[in-house]
Amino acid sequence: MIKYLFLTMFLAVSTACTSEAKQSAEKGETGAQDSVLTDNRELPDTMTIAMCGDIMMGTTFPSVQLPANEGRDLFKDTKEYTLAADLAVGNLEGAVCEGGSSTKGNGPNSYSFRMPTRFAPLLTDAGYDYLSMANNHANDFGQHGIESTEKVLTEQGIKFSGIKGRVESAVVERNGVRYGLCAFGHNSYTLRHKDLATVKRILDDLKKKSDILIVSFHGGAEGRTKNHLPHGTETFLGEDRGSLREFAHFCIDNGVDVVYGHGPHVVRCMEVYKGRFIAYSLGNFCTPYGISLTGISGYSPVVTIQIGKDGSFLSGKIHSFIQQKGVGPRKDATHAVAREIKSLTESDIKDSPIRIDSEGNITVN
């Protein structure tokens, strides 16, 4: 009788644990025990990923510069694409916090970005699943700013990574697909894209628990004259900003399916390398204040791509938007952004097997 009672209790506990694990997996949670893929799940034939560049929704430092209507109109023209995608990703350019001291001084040209915490739900409303923190503004308010940013993103259910010694990678599960994501930058407090040994270690770990692997990077020289992708290492303000062709190809050679970049504050070319998609810079995206939006600096695409179950690029679309100061990205009926990326791709990538037309449709030759 006692033996039967213990057996009954064991089965009940086992069933409860199995149910709880299944619910966690359905929610996209990945813990240490369920992180390694051991099943034979059938993935969808195609998946859609939406990508954009730098997001800084306004700042309260050194003075308050925030968009009207509490920022609720920032993403009104773009969110149809980020909400419709299976996965939406971008780069969070700055800290989301209250108070704290700037690590770059208090002058008018300190270029420290501090978004109010009450703006965090705007990112959820726009459909973002993951945001990179590996950039040169994540540390604008030091540890206080980093911890606050991580906290509010976690509260919003948005995954993140990129700061050295903190979160190295993330796994987002959507529609039965596990997307592994990681981010690299050029600053000392970020996981650095020049440190290829660390890059490979993180990629090798992510491959064990992901179906599709995506890398974000912040790199390259900055400014309107830096829209062409050079060969070799780039430097800016005396700082090594990396050899981005080498880095992107290294990632794909080590199992990555999609690479998207940002950092130069302008758009750059795109490439398909060994069947995998690379966007070398998606430029400024939603930066209504504190960053120049003149000319091509205001070009703000949302790029959606379709990939196969093996991660290979199938097709894509450059959705053209141009930023308005204090307003955010707005529809560009002339497709000027798409034409700019088309021109850059044709001039900078000579052997990529993709074709971009004047309306931004991306196809494989």
Side-chain angles (χ1 to χ4, degrees):
M1 182 65 181
I2 293 175
K3 181 177 181 181
Y4 174 78
L5 179 60
F6 275 118
L7 179 61
T8 303
M9 292 173 64
F10 173 79
L11 290 174
V13 171
S14 298
T15 302
C17 290
T18 301
S19 175
E20 182 177 345
K22 180 179 179 182
Q23 290 173 5
S24 294
E26 288 172 347
K27 293 177 182 177
E29 298 170 1
T30 53
Q33 293 182 336
D34 68 342
S35 61
V36 178
L37 295 180
T38 57
D39 54 59
N40 295 311
R41 293 168 299 114
E42 183 67 21
L43 299 181
D45 290 333
T46 62
M47 291 152 269
T48 301
I49 300 169
M51 297 168 280
C52 70
D54 298 343
I55 298 172
M56 193 281 291
M57 300 175 287
T59 183
T60 60
F61 183 90
S63 61
V64 176
Q65 298 180 80
L66 297 175
N69 196 23
E70 285 291 283
R72 285 186 284 271
D73 300 322
L74 283 173
F75 302 107
K76 74 173 187 177
D77 283 10
T78 63
K79 65 182 180 181
E80 65 176 290
Y81 303 110
T82 47
L83 284 168
D86 295 305
L87 187 81
V89 299
N91 172 58
L92 189 60
E93 187 89 337
V96 186
C97 66
E98 308 296 334
S101 299
S102 168
T103 59
K104 298 176 178 176
N106 297 319
N109 296 318
S110 71
Y111 295 104
S112 292
F113 300 142
R114 182 176 64 192
M115 291 165 271
T117 56
R118 68 181 185 275
F119 274 31
L122 301 176
L123 299 166
T124 307
D125 293 342
Y128 287 98
D129 300 290
Y130 170 88
L131 293 170
S132 165
M133 290 180 63
N135 58 65
N136 55 323
H137 287 284
N139 193 49
D140 281 358
F141 287 84
Q143 192 78 359
H144 165 73
I146 289 171
E147 291 177 355
S148 175
T149 303
E150 292 179 343
K151 179 176 183 292
V152 296
L153 290 179
T154 299
E155 290 170 349
Q156 292 301 314
I158 298 173
K159 296 294 182 74
F160 55 86
S161 67
I163 303 299
K164 185 169 62 177
R166 300 187 68 82
V167 180
E168 287 194 335
S169 65
V171 177
V172 176
E173 185 169 346
R174 294 290 182 265
N175 302 319
V177 180
R178 290 184 176 180
Y179 298 92
L181 302 113
C182 53
F184 302 93
H186 54 76
N187 296 89
S188 60
Y189 57 83
T190 67
L191 293 164
R192 304 186 73 171
H193 44 63
K194 280 196 63 180
D195 183 359
L196 295 181
T198 296
V199 173
K200 187 176 188 307
R201 176 181 60 77
I202 293 172
L203 296 181
D204 287 345
D205 175 67
L206 265 181
K207 281 186 285 190
K208 299 173 186 176
K209 46 194 176 186
S210 308
D211 303 303
I212 300 296
L213 195 53
I214 301 172
V215 166
S216 167
F217 71 84
H218 203 73
E222 300 179 23
R224 285 190 292 276
T225 64
K226 306 301 181 183
N227 54 342
H228 286 281
L229 177 71
H231 289 275
T233 299
E234 294 184 65
T235 59
F236 184 70
L237 300 177
E239 183 178 43
D240 186 337
R241 295 288 181 93
S243 177
L244 301 179
R245 291 178 194 252
E246 177 187 358
F247 170 75
H249 289 186
F250 177 87
C251 289
I252 290 173
D253 289 341
N254 283 276
V256 172
D257 300 299
V258 179
V259 180
Y260 73 100
H262 33 81
H265 297 294
V266 287
V267 296
R268 285 184 168 182
C269 57
M270 296 177 176
E271 181 181 19
V272 169
Y273 170 74
K274 295 185 176 179
R276 268 56 181 176
F277 181 81
I278 304 168
Y280 281 101
S281 178
L282 295 173
N284 299 320
F285 176 64
C286 184
T287 54
Y289 297 103
I291 293 175
S292 173
L293 302 178
T294 303
I296 60 174
S297 298
Y299 285 7
S300 307
V302 174
V303 177
T304 56
I305 62 170
Q306 288 73 48
I307 61 173
K309 63 175 64 178
D310 63 348
S312 60
F313 173 79
L314 300 175
S315 63
K317 172 76 173 182
I318 302 166
H319 305 278
S320 293
F321 299 91
I322 296 178
Q323 284 203 71
Q324 299 175 17
K325 183 175 181 179
V327 175
R330 291 295 176 260
K331 289 181 180 178
D332 165 32
T334 70
H335 305 291
V337 184
R339 292 199 309 274
E340 170 74 4
I341 296 174
K342 166 182 164 63
S343 174
L344 292 168
T345 299
E346 291 172 350
S347 64
D348 293 350
I349 306 293
K350 300 300 184 184
D351 55 356
S352 181
I354 61 169
R355 184 174 67 87
I356 302 173
D357 69 20
S358 59
E359 294 186 353
N361 297 298
I362 312 170
T363 54
V364 180
N365 283 332

